Amino acid sequence: ATTAEGTQTETAGKDGMYIPETTTKNQAAVLAEVTPAVESAEKNFNADNIQARNLIIWDRMGEEHIMGQTQLAFYYALQEMSGGKITADLYLSGEVDVDATNLPEAYSVTNVGRYQLELAEQNGYAKGAVFGLPYVFQNREHFWAFADSELGKTVMDEINNGGFACHVLSYIEEGARSYFTTAAHPVDSYTDLAGLKLRVQSTDIYNDMVRAIGASPTTMAWSEVYTGLSSGVVDGADNPYTGYNSSMLFEVAPNIYEDEHIWGANLLTISTSIWDSLNDDEKAMFEAAAQIASDYNRKHIQEVETAIKENIVSEHGVTIKTPSSEEKQKMVELCQPMYEKFAADYLGFIDEIKALAQ
């Protein structure tokens, strides 16, 4: 039953389908979309072989963020396909304090989460450096062409056979990273970024990328970025629109330079310890749920991003500057030496990815 406030309580759905308890309109909306997807999915597993288990599902951006919604879609699909045998504790707003760049640490605390492919190199997957390099993907269509390709499947297989702490179930994405700056530092051209202090993640690639455009990198936890921008510790940072909006950075950094330097290639993952404990029917169910979540993500990310852009411009006075193709090419050229430095063994692989551009 669904209340007037959008709260859905546990009940039996069509054909005995298990409908989980939802407590917000956002959760109810995700569930409403997932339910028919589950009903129409071909079930290639025996539900009698599904064992009851409780998962810990983690993210840091909140359930209103596309990544939180994607993980809700995954969870609800699991609940319904398992007849309610799969339950979970949801920590989608960073309540569980884990180092998301350290896979063993993160998956010793959590069971399910999304992982940024661009950070995989830090955890021993050397080819992962490719996805941290700027301007490997041209646009959203290019990323999904890769995800659908044999190259994309190969990357998943390599990670899953590499002895890492997590098992990849599907590709998801949160949009491209672009630069944003405080009101004191409007940006009309990439040259305006020169000399600014830009927050970066703690990776050599990010540090070099910022230096390549003449800026000064400052390593800072994402949770500290709002304060860092408002206090002047940093002049700018980068993130997809979804992260920028969910952290309300339009209040302290109203200038966006939409160069889309790194595409937010993410992986929906489960801890290897959980995966290895599953039987074949359970693995098939988890893979089917992950595909539903990936489809949900792929369907909604563009509309979410478009709505964010319209809102931050009209309601918060944000200025968005899109570089010309000539300016974009200059930025690509400035960053080109990074390819040799960080991915010299994978230049052919990069060429194969770029050849997938529409």
Side-chain angles (χ1 to χ4, degrees), residues 334-345:
L334 287 171
C335 293
Q336 194 62 40
M338 296 174 59
Y339 285 49
E340 286 280 357
K341 179 176 179 179
F342 293 104
D345 294 335

Side-chain angles (χ1 to χ4, degrees), residues 53-60 71 74 87-115 164-167 169 267-277 286:
R53 69 178 71 233
N54 187 70
L55 304 173
I56 299 175
I57 301 179
W58 175 88
D59 202 271
R60 66 177 181 275
Q71 295 199 59
F74 176 62
T87 58
D89 297 322
L90 302 175
Y91 299 100
L92 301 180
S93 298
E95 301 96 332
V96 176
D97 185 16
V98 298
D99 180 0
T101 65
N102 185 312
L103 285 181
E105 178 180 326
Y107 286 98
S108 68
V109 178
T110 64
N111 304 136
V112 175
R114 50 108 174 186
Y115 189 64
F164 301 108
C166 67
H167 180 91
L169 294 168
L267 306 168
L268 181 59
T269 62
I270 184 172
S271 71
T272 299
S273 60
I274 293 289
W275 179 256
D276 289 344
S277 74
F286 271 79

Side-chain angles (χ1 to χ4, degrees), residues 15-302:
D15 298 327
M17 187 74 70
Y18 177 85
I19 300 178
E21 181 180 3
T22 57
T23 58
T24 68
K25 290 181 180 179
N26 177 66
Q27 291 177 355
V30 175
L31 174 63
E33 184 164 334
V34 167
T35 300
V38 170
E39 292 173 349
S40 63
E42 179 181 357
K43 294 186 178 180
N44 57 349
F45 58 90
N46 184 348
D48 292 336
N49 290 334
I50 305 303
Q51 303 299 312
R53 69 178 71 233
N54 187 70
L55 304 173
I56 299 175
I57 301 179
W58 175 88
D59 202 271
R60 66 177 181 275
M61 303 304 289
E63 70 165 47
E64 299 295 332
H65 187 279
I66 186 63
M67 292 291 102
Q69 294 170 355
T70 298
Q71 295 199 59
L72 283 175
F74 176 62
Y75 170 46
Y76 291 158
L78 282 176
Q79 278 204 311
E80 296 203 10
M81 286 192 286
S82 69
K85 294 178 182 178
I86 302 297
T87 58
D89 297 322
L90 302 175
Y91 299 100
L92 301 180
S93 298
E95 301 96 332
V96 176
D97 185 16
V98 298
D99 180 0
T101 65
N102 185 312
L103 285 181
E105 178 180 326
Y107 286 98
S108 68
V109 178
T110 64
N111 304 136
V112 175
R114 50 108 174 186
Y115 189 64
Q116 293 171 245
L117 184 53
E118 67 198 73
L119 300 179
E121 185 269 340
Q122 289 184 252
N123 288 282
Y125 181 54
K127 190 183 287 185
V130 167
F131 303 98
L133 291 171
Y135 311 114
V136 170
F137 293 114
Q138 290 187 9
N139 49 38
R140 173 161 287 121
E141 291 74 21
H142 188 190
F143 165 73
W144 283 107
F146 162 77
D148 292 338
S149 71
E150 287 302 315
L151 285 180
K153 295 181 177 67
T154 296
V155 168
M156 288 179 61
D157 289 342
E158 288 174 348
I159 295 174
N160 289 342
N161 295 318
F164 301 108
C166 67
H167 180 91
V168 179
L169 294 168
S170 64
Y171 284 102
I172 53 180
E173 58 109 340
E174 58 178 330
R177 303 180 77 96
S178 290
Y179 295 108
F180 48 86
T181 59
T182 61
H185 299 284
V187 178
D188 290 320
S189 166
Y190 74 93
T191 57
D192 294 325
L193 294 168
L196 299 188
K197 296 172 292 185
L198 300 181
R199 176 268 177 181
V200 296
Q201 299 186 76
S202 181
T203 73
D204 291 338
I205 288 181
Y206 271 81
N207 278 271
D208 276 28
M209 177 182 68
V210 166
R211 292 190 185 104
I213 58 173
S216 175
T218 301
T219 300
M220 179 180 292
W222 179 250
S223 60
E224 300 172 359
V225 171
Y226 185 102
T227 301
L229 289 164
S230 62
S231 65
V233 173
V234 291
D235 303 313
D238 77 329
N239 217 249
Y241 278 105
T242 50
Y244 173 90
N245 183 67
S246 65
S247 296
M248 302 179 69
L249 296 180
F250 46 76
E251 295 180 345
V252 291
N255 303 299
I256 295 178
Y257 188 67
E258 194 182 69
D259 71 305
E260 299 184 335
H261 45 269
I262 295 177
W263 211 264
N266 282 236
L267 306 168
L268 181 59
T269 62
I270 184 172
S271 71
T272 299
S273 60
I274 293 289
W275 179 256
D276 289 344
S277 74
L278 302 176
N279 62 44
D280 289 344
D281 287 306
E282 291 171 325
K283 287 179 178 178
M285 181 189 68
F286 271 79
E287 288 173 339
Q291 186 59 55
I292 289 172
S294 180
D295 291 343
Y296 178 94
N297 173 267
R298 189 171 185 169
K299 175 182 177 182
H300 289 289
I301 180 61
Q302 182 63 62

